[in-house]
Amino acid sequence: EMRMVESGGGLVQPGGSLRLSCRTSGFNFPNYPMKWLRQAPEKELEWVSGISGARTSGGEGGTWTYYDDSVRGRFTISRDDANNTLYLQLNDLKTEDTGIYYCSQGTRGVDGRRGQGTQVTVSS
């Protein structure tokens, strides 16, 4: 059974940092592109960032990453294929980054199965 478990969220002041993790099981993680989504209070689910998988990376090795304009330069997506884990480093957090963060298969879009999510709250 495919599982994704997000963690690492918390309460942080504006300008602060967090590192989110997504532990996966039940599928061949290295072969799959992955993404982070988030849902702010009373707003729709939105795509945040994506990363290529082994099958979609260009040439021999290399990883492609993608970011929404609202987080580019502040967030960094990465993956540890040996441990089937996806990460999202959140720096220079803003109040508008508040929401529940989910990981999912795929590079872009909001479709796909998700875990239970991890809450990120940015507040002074």
Side-chain angles (χ1 to χ4, degrees):
E1 179 186 1
M2 182 174 67
R3 287 195 68 198
M4 287 167 280
V5 180
E6 301 92 342
S7 63
L11 172 63
V12 63
Q13 293 185 341
S17 298
L18 288 171
R19 190 190 194 202
L20 308 184
S21 299
C22 170
R23 291 184 294 110
T24 73
S25 60
F27 64 99
N28 192 358
F29 177 81
N31 282 353
Y32 282 82
M34 297 293 295
K35 62 191 175 187
W36 285 97
L37 311 175
R38 70 182 178 188
Q39 187 163 25
E42 300 181 357
K43 292 190 177 180
E44 294 185 351
L45 188 66
E46 64 176 356
W47 173 82
V48 174
S49 178
I51 187 168
S52 59
R55 288 185 176 178
T56 54
S57 294
E60 293 85 25
T63 301
W64 296 333
T65 58
Y66 312 90
Y67 299 95
D68 184 79
D69 287 344
S70 66
V71 307
R72 185 175 290 112
R74 300 187 298 119
F75 292 7
T76 303
I77 190 171
S78 62
R79 61 190 301 157
D80 178 353
D81 287 344
N83 291 295
N84 298 330
T85 301
L86 180 72
Y87 297 101
L88 187 67
Q89 177 68 40
L90 289 64
N91 295 330
D92 190 22
L93 281 160
K94 304 177 180 181
T95 55
E96 53 262 41
D97 295 319
T98 294
I100 302 174
Y101 284 69
Y102 305 91
C103 64
S104 182
Q105 290 180 341
T107 308
R108 293 182 182 270
V110 297
D111 58 313
R113 187 171 177 175
R114 308 187 299 270
Q116 85 291 344
T118 185
Q119 175 71 49
V120 172
T121 303
V122 185
S123 175
S124 56

